[in-house]
């Protein structure tokens, strides 16, 4: 895509530059309304493959850029042992290691070294196979990952990271199993999130098919709000693609260990099988080998992925999947069309869209007030779907965007602001309550 073709060369520079900004001018991060400072020019050819452990291309002094935000500590604590932290603090499933395309020979060596296979997860639609292994006894998960990389140097080895809804720490289900409604026929829009409440008036005009990838699909507040901003239509309220059919992949299922890398990859494979053209992922996490391969596999099969850039502040490290090459990253603006102070910045930002001071579908047929990049991304996904998805739709949307901030593309607003027609004042919908992030 034209908007993201040069992202790989720029992302490392942006990450290092933001580190310099954070050290030199810490107060800048508190003021989302100020223009971003000029980023220093760094040598060309720098890689964007940021390591997830301490032995990599980034010096140890910059490890803090890659560390998990402190808000995720509570997620691990509340999991009652289902989750633990990787060496940089990112939540991972306890006792699970993911190997992508593990050869029979490497598998045999791993078994001989004390690893055991928990399950095989073939992802034929993406051209991948994921093998989930348990570490040997008396070997920590982190050390077991390092050891397996030595045993199987040709495979890609990763933790089974957990993704959170664009900065939101409490995902839990807000209802029981999802209800059955009109099924999605020939849906071209997909959502990877929690399950949604199809009985909400916002979805009356849309067919919805849901599938669970962490047990049975369950209604969730986050997914319901996000989906309404993709396809919802009710009175004054209108999502990015009002009335379109949608496929929903619930990768949480009310499970404290939901939102895993393996679940996200399975959901993407399902979307490819169903011939979806645009998929919204309002979730964030660290770089993960399985998810990166799954994203690339989906893109190679014609899927346009849209993702929220996150809400951990302008000096935060790049979050994924928004920062993977080719993914359309979306930031959020307020009712005054100013970027939110908590919104991420950098070369991963392709578009800005409304993400605060507006209504979205809430519980029990109500409307709620939302804030965060989670709720900007689905608007962009809907707009791209209306134009068929693909590079042409991205270019057309960029050409229609309202330029904000510095002239031309910038790391705060990307190509500019789109989707303002989906911003409905909460008072106009009788909204109650507030859903952040």
């Amino acid at each position: 895509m034209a908007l993201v073709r040069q992202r790989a060369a720029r992302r490392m520079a942006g990450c290092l530059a933001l580190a310099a900004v954070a050290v030199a001018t810490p107060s800048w991060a508190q003021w989302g309304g100020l223009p971003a400072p000029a980023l220093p020019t760094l040598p060309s050819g720098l890689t964007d493959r940021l390591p997830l452990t301490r032995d990599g291309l980034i010096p140890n002094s910059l490890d803090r850029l890659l560390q998990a935000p402190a808000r995720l500590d509570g997620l691990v604590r509340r999991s009652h042992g289902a989750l633990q932290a990787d060496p940089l603090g990112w939540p991972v499933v306890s006792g699970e290691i993911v190997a992508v395309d593990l050869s029979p020979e490497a598998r045999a060596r791993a078994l001989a070294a004390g690893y055991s296979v928990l399950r095989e997860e073939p992802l034929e639609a993406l051209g991948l196979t994921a093998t989930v292994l348990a570490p040997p006894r008396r070997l920590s998960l982190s050390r077991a990952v390092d050891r397996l990389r030595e045993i199987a140097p040709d495979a890609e080895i990763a933790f089974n990271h957990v993704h959170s809804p664009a900065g939101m720490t409490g995902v839990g289900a807000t209802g029981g199993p999802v209800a059955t409604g009109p099924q999605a026929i020939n849906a071209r829009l997909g959502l990877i999130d929690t399950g949604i409440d199809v009985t909400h008036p916002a979805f009356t005009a849309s067919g919805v098919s849901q599938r669970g990838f962490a047990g049975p699909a369950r209604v969730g507040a986050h997914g319901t709000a996000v989906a309404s901003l993709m396809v919802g239509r009710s009175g004054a309220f209108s999502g990015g693609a009002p009335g379109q059919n949608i496929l929903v992949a619930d990768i949480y299922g009310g499970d404290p260990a939901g939102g895993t890398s393996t679940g996200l990859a399975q959901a993407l494979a399902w979307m490819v099988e169903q011939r979806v053209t645009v998929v919204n992922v309002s979730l964030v996490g660290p770089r993960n080998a399985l998810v990166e391969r799954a994203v690339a596999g989906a893109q190679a099969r014609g899927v346009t992925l849209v993702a929220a850039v996150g809400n951990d502040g302008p000096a935060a490290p790049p979050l994924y999947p928004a920062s993977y090459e080719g993914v359309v990253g979306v930031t959020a603006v307020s009712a005054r069309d100013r970027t939110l102070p908590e919104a991420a910045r950098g070369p991963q930002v392709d578009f800005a869209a409304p993400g605060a001071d507006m209504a979205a579908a809430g519980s029990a047929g109500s409307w709620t007030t939302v804030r965060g990049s989670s709720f900007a991304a689905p608007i962009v996904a809907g707009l791209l779907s209306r134009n068929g998805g693909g590079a042409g739709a991205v270019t057309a949307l960029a050409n229609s965007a309202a330029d904000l901030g510095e002239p031309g593309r910038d790391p705060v607003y990307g190509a500019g602001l789109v989707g303002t027609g989906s911003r409905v004042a909460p008072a106009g919908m009788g909204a109650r309550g507030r859903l952040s992030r």
Side-chain angles (χ1 to χ4, degrees), residues 320-343:
Y320 298 86
S323 295
Y324 290 128
E325 185 66 24
V327 174
V328 179
V330 184
T331 190
V333 300
S334 67
R336 296 184 178 182
D337 293 342
R338 306 300 294 271
T339 184
L340 301 186
E342 66 269 30

Side-chain angles (χ1 to χ4, degrees), residues 151-180:
I151 292 172
D154 295 332
E156 294 187 81
I157 309 300
F159 296 96
N160 196 1
H161 284 107
V162 167
H163 297 72
S164 61
M168 191 178 183
T169 56
V171 188
T174 57
V178 297
T180 300

